[in-house]
Structures are given as C-alpha cells and as structure tokens.
Amino acid sequence: MDAQTLVDERGELWLALAPLWLDREPRERDYARMVEVIQRHDLTLTELEWIFRIELAPVLSRTQMSVASEWRRFDDYQLMKRLVAHNLRLHGWRRKSWALFSGLITMMTRHRWNELMTRVLIARGEAP
C-alpha cells in the first residue's frame, strides 16, 4: 500500500482518534467527533482495536511519554507523516512485535479507549 492510499483510507480516522493521547481527557465534542468518524468508516470493534493498538499507539505513545514534546495538541501534518511512515513499515516481524507489546503501550489511554468503544456501541444501538 502506498502513502496516498493510507492517507485516503485511514487519515481522517487517525486524526479523529489522536486526542486519546493528549494530556487532557477528551471533551464531549472530541468523543462525538470520534464516534461520528468511526461510524463513517464502518469498521468492526475488532478492526478498531487493532487500528488503536498497532497503527496508532506505537507512534502516539512516543509523543505522550516524551518530556520535550508538545502534546496539548498535534500538528496534523507532522502527525500524519509519522503515522504514514510507521504504517508503511508495518509488515512481518514489526507487526508481530507491536502486537506483542501493544498492551503495554496502550495502558495510559486504555480507559479513554474503553469509554469511546462504549459510546460507539450505544451509537450503533448495541448494548455496551
């Protein structure tokens, strides 16, 4: 898959989910936007979980743990460049190693993710 295809298929979703890694709790409008974008992409909860764990967390957790980095908001262009670069390399052993360690790198945002998935289920008319 090339960079443009990644941006076309995942860009909007990646940028919508990025606030899960900011240093503040997402606001109601953040969650509403995330749910709206997720609904447009029509992904299963399992697919969303793997996007969270493998495609996003390895890049965004580095920003979250960095002392020098600004993480009150993201520069969308720079973030997209890093996400695309990561995902273009995400094959074979890299994918497997991120899957193995994804539980550790998602710990700091897991409560936010769980809240989002509850909201997605409610929006889909399913029981949380």
Side-chain angles (χ1 to χ4, degrees):
M1 187 177 299
D2 64 75
Q4 188 59 53
T5 303
L6 271 173
V7 170
D8 293 344
E9 290 182 7
R10 293 281 206 252
E12 179 189 32
L13 183 63
W14 288 342
L15 291 178
L17 296 176
L20 293 170
W21 279 270
L22 293 175
D23 69 336
R24 61 167 174 76
E25 289 298 315
R27 298 181 182 114
E28 284 300 318
R29 74 172 190 258
D30 296 325
Y31 279 121
R33 168 113 173 91
M34 288 180 226
V35 169
E36 175 188 320
V37 171
I38 287 170
Q39 295 294 79
R40 276 200 301 273
H41 286 267
D42 194 35
L43 298 164
T44 68
L45 294 184
T46 302
E47 290 169 323
L48 289 167
E49 178 72 22
W50 285 110
I51 290 168
F52 170 67
R53 292 173 72 163
I54 306 281
E55 295 179 15
L56 291 169
V59 173
L60 290 162
S61 63
R62 288 182 204 143
T63 302
Q64 190 176 38
M65 291 187 266
S66 171
V67 175
S69 182
E70 172 63 36
W71 49 288
R72 288 208 164 273
R73 66 176 201 77
F74 294 111
D75 175 328
D76 290 349
Y77 178 75
Q78 290 300 319
L79 176 59
M80 189 64 65
K81 278 178 43 176
R82 291 189 354 246
L83 286 166
V84 167
H86 165 75
N87 281 278
L88 286 174
R89 291 187 309 266
L90 198 54
H91 301 287
W93 68 269
R94 279 192 173 102
R95 179 176 278 289
K96 290 175 185 171
S97 65
W98 282 120
L100 179 64
F101 294 108
S102 65
L104 291 172
I105 62 173
T106 59
M107 276 193 317
M108 293 173 61
T109 55
R110 179 55 64 181
H111 67 286
R112 295 172 180 176
W113 180 256
N114 291 342
E115 174 65 25
L116 176 59
M117 291 302 97
T118 298
R119 291 170 185 244
V120 168
L121 286 171
I122 291 168
R124 291 178 177 180
E126 300 175 28

